[in-house]
């Protein structure tokens, strides 16, 4: 095998495992998926959108939104929320599943949920006391970090 063929062969082996660097673009609110636009206008109607970014990593698209009070929202490519970060204030209780709200009220009275994230495995919340709690899809606690 000549050097050129070896180079091409090595390159072909390495490319699929090479890190995929994402690209970010600043976009307008109107360029968000419809579901994200509706979510913001109904759940955060008294807030102003300051910045919207579209992130592209390989074939995955995500959107990051910053509101004028510092709230950060993340959406998937379909416009469904994946993370709500309201630090240091509380995530609106209407956006947190009832089972999680009840768990926090029972086990951590007077503590606020300041961030919530959801993925295909369940939910993770950050509390104002510094605890992070992970719930599975059935809202059972699977991990607590302090």
């Amino acid at each position: 095998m000549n050097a050129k063929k070896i180079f091409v062969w090595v390159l072909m082996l390495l490319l699929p495992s090479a890190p995929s660097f994402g690209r970010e673009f600043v976009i307008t609110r109107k360029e968000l998926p419809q579901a994200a636009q509706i979510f913001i206008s109904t759940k955060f109607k008294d807030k102003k959108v300051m910045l919207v970014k579209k992130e592209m990593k390989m074939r995955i698209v995500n959107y990051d939104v910053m509101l004028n009070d510092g709230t950060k929202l993340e959406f998937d490519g379909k416009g469904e929320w994946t993370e709500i970060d309201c630090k240091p204030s509380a995530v609106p209780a209407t956006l947190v599943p009832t089972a999680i709200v009840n768990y926090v009220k029972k086990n951590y009275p007077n503590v606020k949920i300041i961030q919530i994230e959801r993925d295909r495995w369940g939910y993770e919340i950050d509390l104002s006391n510094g605890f992070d709690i992970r719930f599975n899809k059935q809202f059972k606690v699977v991990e607590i970090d302090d």
Side-chain angles (χ1 to χ4, degrees):
M1 223 184 238
N2 67 28
K4 185 176 179 182
K5 285 183 180 178
I6 292 172
F7 175 76
V8 170
W9 183 76
V10 170
L11 190 60
M12 288 174 54
L13 286 174
L14 293 177
L15 279 180
S17 62
S20 171
F21 297 104
R23 295 181 298 170
E24 290 185 358
F25 306 93
V26 174
I27 62 172
T28 67
R29 179 180 178 162
K30 292 179 181 181
E31 293 175 276
L32 283 168
Q34 189 69 26
Q37 291 182 48
I38 292 169
F39 179 85
I40 294 167
S41 64
T42 57
K43 306 299 183 184
F44 293 93
K45 58 185 169 201
D46 58 334
K47 309 292 185 223
K48 183 178 178 185
V49 173
M50 302 303 292
L51 179 68
V52 180
K53 291 191 302 184
K54 180 178 183 178
E55 284 183 21
M56 297 172 56
K57 294 180 184 173
M58 303 250 331
R59 295 182 191 167
I60 299 172
V61 176
N62 292 304
Y63 299 91
D64 296 326
V65 177
M66 175 72 79
L67 303 180
N68 64 330
D69 68 343
T71 296
K72 298 174 190 170
L73 307 171
E74 291 185 18
F75 299 93
D76 64 17
K78 296 177 185 175
E80 298 295 320
W81 72 266
T82 57
E83 187 173 339
I84 303 169
D85 183 348
C86 294
K87 294 174 191 167
S89 62
V91 173
T94 57
L95 301 178
V96 180
T98 304
I100 294 175
V101 170
N102 292 340
Y103 175 87
V104 171
K105 280 183 183 178
K106 179 181 176 187
N107 295 286
Y108 302 95
N110 304 316
V111 173
K112 299 183 287 188
I113 299 171
I114 57 175
Q115 182 176 2
I116 185 167
E117 185 175 348
R118 70 176 174 188
D119 57 29
R120 62 183 175 180
W121 298 283
Y123 293 82
E124 184 173 338
I125 60 171
D126 292 357
L127 301 177
S128 58
N129 67 356
F131 280 49
D132 299 333
I133 305 173
R134 184 126 185 75
F135 297 84
N136 64 18
K137 285 186 152 189
Q138 292 74 40
F139 304 106
K140 304 292 183 205
V141 174
V142 294
E143 185 179 351
I144 299 176
D145 288 328
D146 59 355

